[in-house]
Amino acid sequence: MEMAETGIPVRVILDEKEMPEAWYNICADLPVPLPPPLHPATKEPCGPEDLAPLFPMALIEQEVSAERFIEIPEEVKAVYRLFRPTPLQRAYRLEKALDTPARIFYKNEGLSPAGSHKPNTAIAQAYFNKVEGVKRLTTETGAGQWGSALALGCKLFGLELDVFMVKVSYHQKPYRRTLMETWGANVYASPTEMTEAGRAVLKDDPESPGSLGIAISEAVEVAMKREDTKYSLGSVLNHVCLHQTVIGLEAKKQMEKIGEYPDVIIGCVGGGSNFSGILFPFMADKFAGKKLKAIAVEPVSCPTLTRGKYEYDFGDQAETTPLIKMYTLGHNFIPSPIHAGGLRYHGDAPILSLLVKEGYIEAVAYPQTEVFDAGVKFAQAEGFVVAPETAHAVKCVIDEAIKCRESGESKTILFNLSGHGLLDLAGYQEFLDGKLTD
Amino acid sequence: MEMAETGIPVRVILDEKEMPEAWYNICADLPVPLPPPLHPATKEPCGPEDLAPLFPMALIEQEVSAERFIEIPEEVKAVYRLFRPTPLQRAYRLEKALDTPARIFYKNEGLSPAGSHKPNTAIAQAYFNKVEGVKRLTTETGAGQWGSALALGCKLFGLELDVFMVKVSYHQKPYRRTLMETWGANVYASPTEMTEAGRAVLKDDPESPGSLGIAISEAVEVAMKREDTKYSLGSVLNHVCLHQTVIGLEAKKQMEKIGEYPDVIIGCVGGGSNFSGILFPFMADKFAGKKLKAIAVEPVSCPTLTRGKYEYDFGDQAETTPLIKMYTLGHNFIPSPIHAGGLRYHGDAPILSLLVKEGYIEAVAYPQTEVFDAGVKFAQAEGFVVAPETAHAVKCVIDEAIKCRESGESKTILFNLSGHGLLDLAGYQEFLDGKLTD
């Protein structure tokens, strides 16, 4: 190997003062109307009153807002400052390893205390609930990224938290549970005996490994039944994607500083929030005519955007959530237990789904052995070991960079390093030992 | 809990251009001479030729240099830029939780790809070896922090690496091994059958859990026997402490930016490199008369500085290293298997030992239950989950801050967050479950 090139800038850093003052609400600029969520019983569009048992009014307002920018409260920015602004990094070493003329940039969201982008919305949601007098939140978590982020958010704003963690992950990823408990959350292996939804599943299948859909049903049920308790979702919904735009807003500012603009933006997609977060502030330019390729990356074992149907479906197993128009594999779909637990959701964010349907976003799917191979390549070039979810994006970045090598095009590629893989090393070990299957 | 205070700066960020151009060599300013290392056979001071089989000449020169500043090569800075400069963070929330008038700052070295301060020297050592044509390094590792950092350094400069990992950690911390292997290193559970030193231990005790001292003997033996191979040590030595001063040099610049200067500097001490790194650039001012309290923190189960003797001792079990003058518990000392594996070394850096002996540095020791309690308090206030090693420093910071509350003094406390605890969560779980013992 050659000596590293010297004197090259690697990270573009923003000062705290340059952190965005407002989130970007893409709904203000959508070229076609977003189909509204429907009430599960009446099938009529949901009103704020339908959502009020689950969410505080501020988040319901954000969910349906048409304002282009929504101010980030000072209290939320104060917590963001623990880890934001995050660096924009240029992957020089990866470029060199791939011998590509492409310029590859990534936003490093893995540097947050919870290790992913999830705190961007967890902190905001905890704050807005706190302001409205909520004492306790409930939520579900798959791999544990979301649960740990919300545990952090709740601890910092003094809320109690009950996390329903998909049982297979609860046992496979004990360290995520530890993280949640370190931040003071109560963690339950879902399905539990605590809820009607959980008991119904266990009656049919006492050995059920659980699923995100089931865990959502449990968390929603508990929130509905308690006066002082609301529910929190870590992806899919408009207000979640909204909070994540802090990533793209920072990235845009950072790229402007060095005179760059992405030709391609890539992100992995489970529920869609991290990709929405980095993409949407740039997508506004695409609506205005700017050339931009956006690629959503998912696992072949949960191919929502590439093989799902665009239709109204429930967000959960027990059919308790509103119906939302999205790409879906069906709300009873249970994907194989791949390591990228955060990508194992049957549906996708309605906004992201609409943009895929309308042709603004492309989607690709990869099997997990290729994904881990890409993760190892990235770690060996750039140092950072990424989450299996993020490695999906990396695989696509590598493919795009190789296309550039073949075509000679010097494209600028931007992707979101949505999380580190330090609590997913069992998957890396399986891959290194040649034992990983697709 | 109250809402967070708003509008307050939390992180002091340096631009890449503000990264130090040179490491600070405290040997140029020591108030008393540093006793030289002695040859293990002749007991005469070691010359460069004695160290040449183990280390490249550039590092040997640094080991004995009297130059105040030693330039950081461009190639090393290029790699540092992946994660440096690191932020200086103010622990407002911890201050508030403790109701203390003290101002608490920490340097966050846990944001490096390997998750600790160790890459600061690993990268430098890999570079200087590469320049002199070395093809392969050997090293030992306890908890795996050092091994993973050197694996990263070696991968980025294209060197092979053999890591002898203390057997008890190899089995207790499989994820550290995965990390090393992801970065391409070969990892062996020490004692092994590969070396005379290892075979000798296994002959006496086939079930030996290993120790750092034994692993060092193995790594040194392999390096001595192979022409293209040298040995690398992650702490203790002068050149290692030198490379770590990048931490303190940055911290000093960052504190200057906000008009602060520490009254107290705190760090955990295993071999002493992270504490040396943050402390030494400030210690120069103390030599010149400035008031500054420096506190080294160690575990009661390996109380080198608080209960060891200041004398010449071997660095390893098999008595193959030079004799160095340091606080030591004896080179056959095997501490109990506490979670802070990085603090389980029988000796300490000679420079640090001298400064303790001469009264420039105080030392305290804590049992691990109090240490984990401090770690949880920090995580719940500041978000970041620190390594058990770092939690020793945090415990001392909390004690000092509480003293300030009692005395009403508004002291400025600086400590080094030497690493995150994401691969040490088993210890946190034991603590949370009430199962941790001292």
Side-chain angles (χ1 to χ4, degrees):
Chain A
M1 186 183 148
E2 297 293 305
M3 282 291 167
E5 285 181 67
T6 60
I8 49 175
V10 174
R11 297 193 303 172
V12 184
I13 303 287
L14 295 178
D15 191 85
E16 285 188 358
K17 296 182 204 76
E18 297 174 286
M19 198 164 69
E21 299 287 326
W23 294 296
Y24 167 65
N25 179 16
I26 196 172
C27 293
D29 294 317
L30 285 176
V32 289
L34 185 68
L38 304 181
H39 191 281
T42 66
K43 308 287 193 296
E44 293 296 314
C46 284
E49 67 286 359
D50 296 318
L51 299 171
L54 287 182
F55 303 109
M57 203 46 68
L59 293 179
I60 294 171
E61 283 166 14
Q62 290 171 17
E63 189 66 20
V64 298
S65 172
E67 293 293 318
R68 184 166 288 115
F69 287 99
I70 294 174
E71 198 188 348
I72 307 176
E74 284 300 326
E75 290 84 352
V76 172
K77 283 192 285 190
V79 180
Y80 277 179
R81 285 191 196 100
L82 287 173
F83 59 96
R84 304 209 71 85
T86 61
L88 176 80
Q89 308 206 202
R90 173 136 179 213
Y92 279 104
R93 286 176 180 74
L94 181 62
E95 292 169 20
K96 200 167 177 181
L98 298 173
D99 190 23
T100 177
R103 295 187 298 285
I104 302 172
F105 294 89
Y106 61 96
K107 192 70 174 150
N108 196 343
E109 295 293 306
L111 301 177
S112 78
S116 79
H117 67 293
K118 293 287 187 187
N120 297 328
T121 187
I123 290 161
Q125 291 192 44
Y127 168 76
F128 288 114
N129 274 285
K130 177 76 178 178
V131 167
E132 295 188 23
V134 175
K135 302 291 180 213
R136 176 188 296 265
L137 292 181
T138 66
T139 199
E140 72 291 332
T141 198
Q145 291 273 22
W146 168 241
S148 53
L150 192 60
L152 172 67
C154 284
K155 175 51 68 183
L156 293 174
F157 284 108
L159 296 173
E160 296 288 311
L161 175 64
D162 288 340
V163 181
F164 293 87
M165 185 172 188
V166 177
K167 193 174 275 174
V168 60
S169 295
Y170 182 92
H171 294 299
Q172 266 180 6
K173 312 212 168 182
Y175 288 172
R176 286 269 175 215
R177 174 167 69 90
T178 304
L179 207 46
M180 292 185 255
E181 291 181 359
T182 298
W183 285 319
N186 309 304
V187 186
Y188 308 106
S190 167
T192 73
E193 293 284 353
M194 298 162 63
T195 66
E196 286 173 31
R199 287 190 293 271
V201 172
L202 290 172
K203 198 177 161 196
D204 282 356
D205 178 9
E207 302 304 313
S208 167
S211 72
L212 268 183
I214 297 168
I216 293 175
S217 297
E218 293 206 274
V220 166
E221 186 181 324
V222 171
M224 295 286 275
K225 283 183 179 160
R226 288 201 203 168
E227 190 62 38
D228 64 350
T229 300
K230 298 229 181 267
Y231 166 72
S232 173
L233 190 67
S235 191
V236 177
L237 298 179
N238 300 353
H239 68 268
V240 179
C241 297
L242 172 79
H243 300 151
Q244 294 295 352
T245 61
V246 68
I247 304 169
L249 290 164
E250 284 180 8
K252 209 169 172 182
K253 210 175 278 192
Q254 286 163 314
M255 296 203 86
E256 273 167 22
K257 282 202 172 198
I258 52 169
E260 292 276 1
Y261 193 94
D263 298 300
V264 188
I265 298 181
I266 295 168
C268 62
V269 173
S273 76
N274 98 75
F275 186 47
S276 299
I278 195 161
L279 177 66
F280 287 177
F282 294 94
M283 187 53 80
D285 300 335
K286 180 161 175 155
F287 294 151
K290 184 133 188 147
K291 208 173 155 220
L292 172 65
K293 186 169 164 181
I295 312 177
V297 191
E298 56 186 20
V300 290
S301 61
C302 193
T304 327
L305 297 171
T306 49
R307 305 191 63 181
K309 286 184 188 154
Y310 184 60
E311 63 188 17
Y312 272 104
D313 193 12
F314 292 99
D316 71 329
Q317 172 101 353
E319 308 187 353
T320 52
T321 70
L323 287 157
I324 50 180
K325 188 90 178 260
M326 62 183 177
Y327 279 94
T328 175
L329 296 163
H331 60 278
N332 291 313
F333 180 79
I334 296 183
S336 60
I338 56 167
H339 285 280
L343 306 186
R344 296 173 69 242
Y345 186 59
H346 69 274
D348 266 306
I351 303 174
L352 208 61
S353 294
L354 178 67
L355 293 174
V356 170
K357 180 70 181 169
E358 296 293 322
Y360 288 94
I361 297 173
E362 301 170 23
V364 294
Y366 293 108
Q368 74 173 353
T369 48
E370 292 180 22
V371 160
F372 272 92
D373 182 62
V376 170
K377 281 196 175 75
F378 188 81
Q380 296 198 346
E382 293 295 313
F384 294 101
V385 176
V386 303
E389 291 83 355
T390 308
H392 284 75
V394 172
K395 166 64 181 158
C396 181
V397 167
I398 290 175
D399 281 3
E400 289 294 310
I402 289 172
K403 279 186 212 165
C404 284
R405 181 177 69 205
E406 287 160 2
S407 70
E409 287 175 291
S410 173
K411 286 187 180 169
T412 298
I413 301 171
L414 171 65
F415 78 97
N416 196 28
L417 196 168
S418 55
H420 66 62
L422 296 175
L423 295 178
D424 306 283
L425 289 171
Y428 276 88
Q429 192 65 53
E430 272 183 45
F431 174 76
L432 293 169
D433 292 345
K435 291 179 184 163
L436 191 71
T437 56
D438 283 330
Chain B
M1 185 184 151
E2 298 293 306
M3 282 292 168
E5 284 181 66
T6 61
I8 49 175
V10 174
R11 297 192 302 173
V12 184
I13 304 287
L14 296 178
D15 191 86
E16 285 188 358
K17 296 182 206 76
E18 297 174 287
M19 198 162 71
E21 300 286 326
W23 295 297
Y24 168 64
N25 179 15
I26 195 170
C27 293
D29 294 317
L30 286 176
V32 289
L34 185 67
L38 304 182
H39 191 281
T42 67
K43 307 287 192 298
E44 292 297 315
C46 283
E49 66 288 359
D50 296 318
L51 299 170
L54 288 181
F55 303 109
M57 204 43 70
L59 293 179
I60 293 170
E61 284 166 12
Q62 290 171 18
E63 190 65 22
V64 300
S65 172
E67 292 294 317
R68 184 166 287 115
F69 287 98
I70 293 174
E71 198 189 349
I72 307 176
E74 285 299 327
E75 291 82 352
V76 172
K77 282 193 284 189
V79 180
Y80 277 179
R81 285 190 196 102
L82 287 172
F83 58 96
R84 303 210 72 84
T86 61
L88 176 80
Q89 308 206 201
R90 173 135 179 216
Y92 279 104
R93 286 176 181 73
L94 181 63
E95 292 170 19
K96 200 167 177 182
L98 298 172
D99 191 23
T100 176
R103 293 188 299 285
I104 302 172
F105 294 88
Y106 60 98
K107 192 69 173 150
N108 196 342
E109 294 293 306
L111 301 178
S112 78
S116 79
H117 66 292
K118 293 286 185 187
N120 296 329
T121 187
I123 290 161
Q125 292 192 44
Y127 168 76
F128 288 114
N129 275 284
K130 177 76 177 178
V131 167
E132 295 187 24
V134 175
K135 302 291 180 213
R136 176 187 296 266
L137 292 180
T138 66
T139 198
E140 71 292 333
T141 198
Q145 291 273 22
W146 168 242
S148 53
L150 192 61
L152 171 67
C154 284
K155 174 52 68 182
L156 292 175
F157 284 108
L159 295 173
E160 295 288 312
L161 174 65
D162 289 339
V163 181
F164 293 87
M165 184 173 189
V166 177
K167 193 175 273 173
V168 60
S169 296
Y170 182 92
H171 293 299
Q172 265 179 8
K173 312 211 167 183
Y175 289 171
R176 286 270 174 217
R177 174 168 68 91
T178 304
L179 208 45
M180 291 185 256
E181 291 181 359
T182 298
W183 285 319
N186 309 305
V187 187
Y188 307 106
S190 166
T192 74
E193 294 284 353
M194 297 162 62
T195 66
E196 285 173 31
R199 287 190 293 271
V201 172
L202 290 172
K203 198 177 162 196
D204 282 356
D205 177 10
E207 302 304 312
S208 167
S211 72
L212 268 182
I214 297 167
I216 292 175
S217 297
E218 293 206 273
V220 166
E221 185 182 325
V222 172
M224 297 285 276
K225 284 183 179 162
R226 288 201 204 168
E227 190 61 38
D228 64 350
T229 299
K230 298 230 181 265
Y231 166 72
S232 174
L233 190 67
S235 193
V236 178
L237 299 179
N238 300 353
H239 69 269
V240 179
C241 298
L242 171 79
H243 300 152
Q244 294 295 352
T245 60
V246 67
I247 303 170
L249 290 164
E250 284 180 8
K252 208 167 174 184
K253 208 175 280 192
Q254 287 163 314
M255 296 203 86
E256 273 168 21
K257 282 202 171 197
I258 53 171
E260 292 276 0
Y261 193 94
D263 299 301
V264 188
I265 298 181
I266 295 167
C268 62
V269 172
S273 77
N274 99 75
F275 187 47
S276 298
I278 195 161
L279 177 67
F280 287 176
F282 294 93
M283 187 52 81
D285 300 335
K286 180 162 176 155
F287 294 151
K290 183 134 190 147
K291 207 173 157 221
L292 171 67
K293 186 168 164 181
I295 313 177
V297 191
E298 56 185 21
V300 289
S301 61
C302 193
T304 326
L305 297 171
T306 50
R307 306 190 63 181
K309 285 183 188 155
Y310 185 61
E311 62 188 19
Y312 272 103
D313 193 12
F314 292 99
D316 71 330
Q317 172 100 353
E319 309 187 353
T320 51
T321 71
L323 287 157
I324 51 181
K325 188 90 178 261
M326 61 182 177
Y327 280 94
T328 174
L329 296 163
H331 61 278
N332 291 314
F333 180 79
I334 296 184
S336 60
I338 56 167
H339 285 280
L343 305 186
R344 295 173 70 243
Y345 186 60
H346 69 274
D348 267 305
I351 302 175
L352 207 61
S353 294
L354 178 68
L355 292 174
V356 170
K357 181 70 183 171
E358 296 292 324
Y360 289 93
I361 297 173
E362 302 171 22
V364 294
Y366 293 107
Q368 73 172 354
T369 48
E370 292 179 21
V371 161
F372 273 92
D373 182 63
V376 169
K377 279 196 176 76
F378 187 81
Q380 296 198 346
E382 293 295 313
F384 294 100
V385 176
V386 303
E389 291 82 356
T390 308
H392 283 75
V394 171
K395 165 64 180 158
C396 182
V397 167
I398 290 175
D399 281 2
E400 289 294 310
I402 288 172
K403 279 186 211 163
C404 285
R405 180 177 70 204
E406 287 160 2
S407 70
E409 287 174 291
S410 174
K411 286 188 182 169
T412 298
I413 301 171
L414 171 65
F415 79 97
N416 197 27
L417 195 167
S418 54
H420 66 61
L422 296 175
L423 296 179
D424 305 283
L425 289 170
Y428 277 88
Q429 191 65 52
E430 272 184 46
F431 174 76
L432 293 169
D433 293 344
K435 291 178 185 164
L436 191 73
T437 56
D438 283 331

